[in-house]
Amino acid sequence: MRSLRPDDETPAQRSRGGRLGQFLVGGPKKARRATAAPSCKEDRSGDRERHWRSIHVRANWMGRMVLEEKTTLAGWLARAPFALTMSSGFFSFYAHTGFLTALEDAGLLPTRVSGSSAGALVGAAWAAGVDAPRLADELERLERRDFWDPGIGAGLLRGRLFRERMEGLISARTFEACRVPAAVSVFDVVTRKTRVLDGGEVAPAICASCAVPVLFQPVRIGGRSYLDGGILDRPGLAGMPASEPRVLYHHIASRSPWRTKLEMPSRPGMLTLAIDGLPRSGPFRLHEGRRAYRAARDATKRALERPVTDSVVGVSA
């Protein structure tokens, strides 16, 4: 209820002490009879004033509600259990490890993981007992000679050194022994379709999901030949059940030269973290991978403090 102002009173009211005086002397009925009827122009003006004041009040209330309901990425993750999916992206396991290190430092751990290629390596290794700082130390020391084993076959590298390294790194030998459910996407060479591996040995499944065509020879598991899971399932979401209500997806924004376009996936309940401007690494650019690790770790720490306004949280490296 707004207060009365002198401008609201008629000359007759002002001569008798205003509306308050009329009320005290003659009661409310006499005061109303002594009040001149407002003109149509005054009526419309008052209506407009009350209308805009009402809108202003509602807008302020809505604004306060929006601010109160906004939450940071860290707050969203801490609110309830969440699953984690990490995309493929050649040697982007450096960036994924930096991202996961920031989550671990904040005490934000997933209850399920899935991924393709580089994302499969980091996600499955973590599920199999390799904490992010330990994986970061391993990658910091990684040299090309540690996995470079050329041989005759349908690919430059045989992949034996890579498999031996993974077997010596992980604690849980099988998916069934992992601390959380894990799944990796692979490409079936015969059927030319994506297949999800979530049972059996972890190390060969990781190697299969990371078997980049031409660079690595296909990996045989159970009598079938597999290549890089990112060929058809770049996001690595094939192994994430549709029933999972809350999924955090780490999207590697850089696009491989052979891809004509790169679309960001979406699904109900999924929140995407996209870090732009990460250094591109490869077998001859491992030093850039180490830079990508640090850049992704620091960018993720900043992103955790960002407000969640839609399904994508973007941050620059």
Side-chain angles (χ1 to χ4, degrees):
M1 180 178 178
R2 64 188 180 96
S3 59
L4 299 177
R5 298 174 300 176
D7 292 343
D8 295 325
E9 299 172 347
T10 65
Q13 289 175 312
R14 285 195 293 270
S15 66
R16 292 181 172 87
R19 288 182 181 175
L20 182 58
Q22 289 292 313
F23 177 80
L24 293 175
V25 174
K29 290 184 179 180
K30 291 184 179 180
R32 282 196 292 270
R33 282 197 297 270
T35 302
S39 67
C40 294
K41 182 177 180 181
E42 289 173 338
D43 225 0
R44 286 195 297 269
S45 176
D47 288 345
R48 283 198 299 270
E49 184 180 354
R50 287 190 293 273
H51 172 70
W52 288 114
R53 182 180 291 110
S54 175
I55 290 179
H56 179 69
V57 170
R58 288 199 301 269
N60 285 344
W61 179 79
M62 290 294 291
R64 286 195 298 270
M65 290 297 293
V66 169
L67 289 174
E68 289 171 1
E69 291 176 359
K70 275 187 179 179
T71 183
T72 62
L73 175 57
W76 188 89
L77 295 173
R79 183 182 300 164
F82 68 94
L84 174 63
T85 295
M86 290 179 278
S87 73
S88 65
F90 202 34
F91 273 55
S92 293
F93 41 77
Y94 283 97
H96 284 315
T97 302
F99 155 77
L100 190 55
T101 298
L103 291 187
E104 277 199 1
D105 289 346
L108 302 168
L109 305 179
T111 56
R112 178 186 290 271
V113 296
S114 74
S116 283
S117 195
L121 189 158
V122 176
W126 181 85
V130 186
D131 291 335
R134 184 183 169 201
L135 184 56
D137 291 340
E138 185 76 13
L139 294 177
E140 184 70 29
R141 298 192 302 268
L142 185 67
E143 300 290 344
R144 191 168 63 252
R145 63 174 179 269
D146 296 330
F147 60 87
W148 203 258
D149 57 352
I152 298 174
L156 176 62
L157 305 180
R158 293 176 294 176
R160 293 179 184 174
L161 288 179
F162 179 28
R163 178 165 176 170
E164 290 173 1
R165 201 165 189 87
M166 292 306 306
E167 288 175 339
L169 182 65
I170 61 178
S171 302
R173 299 297 174 185
T174 65
F175 282 96
E176 292 77 9
C178 287
R179 54 181 159 184
V180 298
V184 303
S185 296
V186 295
F187 177 77
D188 191 310
V189 174
V190 175
T191 63
R192 303 183 68 80
K193 295 180 180 179
T194 296
R195 184 177 176 186
V196 174
L197 302 180
D198 56 5
E201 293 186 70
V202 176
I206 291 175
C207 293
S209 189
C210 294
V212 179
V214 181
L215 180 61
F216 281 101
Q217 296 173 12
V219 176
R220 290 188 66 80
I221 301 174
R224 306 192 71 87
S225 295
Y226 299 113
L227 283 172
D228 192 299
I231 294 175
L232 290 182
D233 181 27
R234 189 185 189 279
L237 286 165
M240 184 58 63
S243 58
E244 278 292 336
R246 304 176 79 248
V247 178
L248 174 64
Y249 170 60
H250 186 216
H251 175 74
I252 297 298
S254 60
R255 179 174 59 84
S256 301
W258 60 83
R259 295 187 186 274
T260 56
K261 61 180 180 179
L262 183 60
E263 295 181 353
M264 193 176 298
S266 64
R267 59 180 262 178
M270 187 171 80
L271 190 61
T272 297
L273 173 60
I275 303 175
D276 193 29
L278 289 170
R280 280 187 67 90
S281 57
F284 297 96
R285 294 172 60 85
L286 296 179
H287 62 286
E288 289 296 293
R290 290 185 275 272
R291 286 185 58 229
Y293 162 78
R294 291 186 287 271
R297 178 197 60 196
D298 296 343
T300 302
K301 288 182 178 180
R302 295 196 306 273
L304 288 173
E305 302 305 317
R306 292 278 182 91
V308 176
T309 56
D310 53 31
S311 61
V312 179
V313 177
V315 64
S316 297

